[in-house]
């Protein structure tokens, strides 16, 4: 019940966010692109990656509200910067992850020879969701540092993806993982990311908002 109430309050706060309509349009555009990539299999994994990016938008909308002076002096300041963004990324992340799982499960059913690839995609998307959640825990306080950490993590992620795609022993092991096991492992990574996001946001919530993170809002006020 507490989680549902937090989600409802977060949704209400999102309506006050900076450039809400533009962000909704961006989310819709990315969702359409993701569906095209997933359905027509244009570039392996790209559609799933776009869906994961969409999952970060709700928390970004909440953080844009946090930059106002009214919120800074509000008793809800702590929750708006810590628990509410975590709840939003948890809900949106699980929603898009479910879409990815269903898409890969259908593809594996239609084309059984691609079942191994689908299992790998589901697992790697869970890892990617964890990295994005961790990034969201720091981004609006230490924007540059969080981008550097995310970039380094992404390099490691794509290096791992490259190794998997070259037919190595690691690749064979991951291709042999059953889909249900990949789903469970992916969910564990994603939920660990949410826990780390909350922990990181609790560590830095007293810090000032990064000017780089809210540059557009500051420019509008000027």
């Amino acid at each position: 019940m507490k989680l549902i109430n937090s989600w409802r309050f977060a949704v209400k706060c999102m309506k006050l966010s900076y450039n809400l309509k533009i962000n909704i349009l961006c989310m819709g555009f990315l969702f359409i692109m993701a569906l095209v990539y997933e359905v027509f299999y244009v570039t392996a994994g790209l559609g799933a990656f776009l869906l994961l990016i969409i999952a970060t938008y709700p928390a970004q909308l909440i953080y844009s509200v946090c930059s106002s002076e009214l919120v800074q002096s509000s008793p809800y300041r702590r929750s708006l910067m810590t628990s509410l963004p975590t709840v939003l990324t948890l809900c949106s992340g699980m929603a898009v992850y479910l879409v990815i799982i269903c898409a890969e499960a259908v593809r594996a059913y239609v084309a059984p020879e691609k079942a191994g690839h689908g299992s790998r995609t589901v697992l790697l998307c869970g890892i990617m969701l964890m990295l994005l959640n961790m990034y969201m825990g720091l981004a609006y306080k230490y924007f540059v540092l969080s981008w550097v950490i995310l970039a380094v993590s992404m390099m490691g992620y794509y290096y791992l993806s490259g190794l998997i795609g070259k037919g190595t022993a690691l690749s064979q092991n991951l291709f042999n993982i059953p889909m249900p096991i990949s789903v469970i492992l992916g969910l564990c990574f994603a939920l660990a990311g949410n826990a780390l996001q909350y922990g990181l946001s609790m560590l830095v919530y007293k810090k000032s908002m990064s000017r780089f993170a809210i540059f557009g809002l500051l420019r509008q006020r000027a």
Side-chain angles (χ1 to χ4, degrees):
M1 182 63 69
K2 186 176 181 180
L3 179 63
I4 295 175
N5 290 334
S6 296
W7 183 82
R8 287 175 177 172
F9 181 63
V11 171
K12 290 180 180 178
C13 292
M14 284 171 55
K15 296 178 181 178
L16 305 174
S17 61
Y18 172 66
N19 278 346
L20 175 62
K21 293 181 179 179
I22 293 177
N23 280 286
I24 291 176
L25 287 175
C26 289
M27 291 172 65
F29 179 69
L30 287 175
F31 184 74
I32 293 173
M33 286 184 61
L35 287 182
V36 170
Y37 279 115
E38 280 295 299
V39 172
F40 296 101
Y41 208 59
V42 179
T43 303
L46 183 55
F49 177 73
L50 292 177
L51 286 173
L52 295 179
I53 294 298
I54 294 172
T56 66
Y57 268 74
Q60 293 182 55
L61 293 173
I62 282 289
Y63 281 125
S64 71
V65 176
C66 295
S67 61
S68 71
E69 295 179 0
L70 182 62
V71 170
Q72 293 297 319
S73 58
S74 168
Y76 297 106
R77 174 175 177 264
R78 178 173 174 175
S79 60
L80 281 167
M81 293 185 175
T82 57
S83 59
L84 292 184
T86 303
V87 168
L88 285 174
T89 52
L90 172 63
C91 296
S92 59
M94 290 300 102
V96 298
Y97 196 50
L98 178 61
V99 172
I100 293 171
I101 292 171
C102 291
E104 295 301 332
V106 170
R107 181 175 292 119
Y109 178 79
V110 175
E113 68 278 5
K114 295 182 179 179
H117 180 275
S119 179
R120 181 193 71 178
T121 299
V122 167
L123 177 58
L124 291 179
C125 282
I127 297 174
M128 175 61 71
L129 193 53
M130 177 183 70
L131 296 176
L132 290 173
N133 288 339
M134 292 170 60
Y135 163 76
M136 291 305 301
L138 289 175
Y140 279 78
K141 299 292 184 175
Y142 297 99
F143 184 76
V144 176
L145 175 62
S146 60
W147 260 110
V148 171
I149 294 175
L150 181 63
V152 173
S153 301
M154 292 286 286
M155 289 172 62
Y157 172 86
Y158 281 110
Y159 178 73
L160 175 63
S161 299
L163 284 180
I164 292 172
K166 292 181 178 179
T168 61
L170 176 62
S171 173
Q172 295 302 318
N173 290 332
L174 287 180
F175 269 105
N176 290 329
I177 296 178
M179 179 68 78
I181 301 299
S182 291
V183 170
I184 293 172
L185 290 175
L187 286 173
C188 289
F189 279 115
L191 293 175
N194 287 122
L196 289 169
Q197 176 190 359
Y198 180 71
L200 291 171
S201 63
M202 285 293 292
L203 287 175
V204 302
Y205 87 93
K206 291 184 178 180
K207 302 293 183 180
S208 300
M209 299 284 284
S210 170
R211 296 182 65 87
F212 292 101
I214 57 174
F215 177 76
L217 185 57
L218 292 174
R219 186 175 60 180
Q220 185 187 58
R221 288 176 181 173

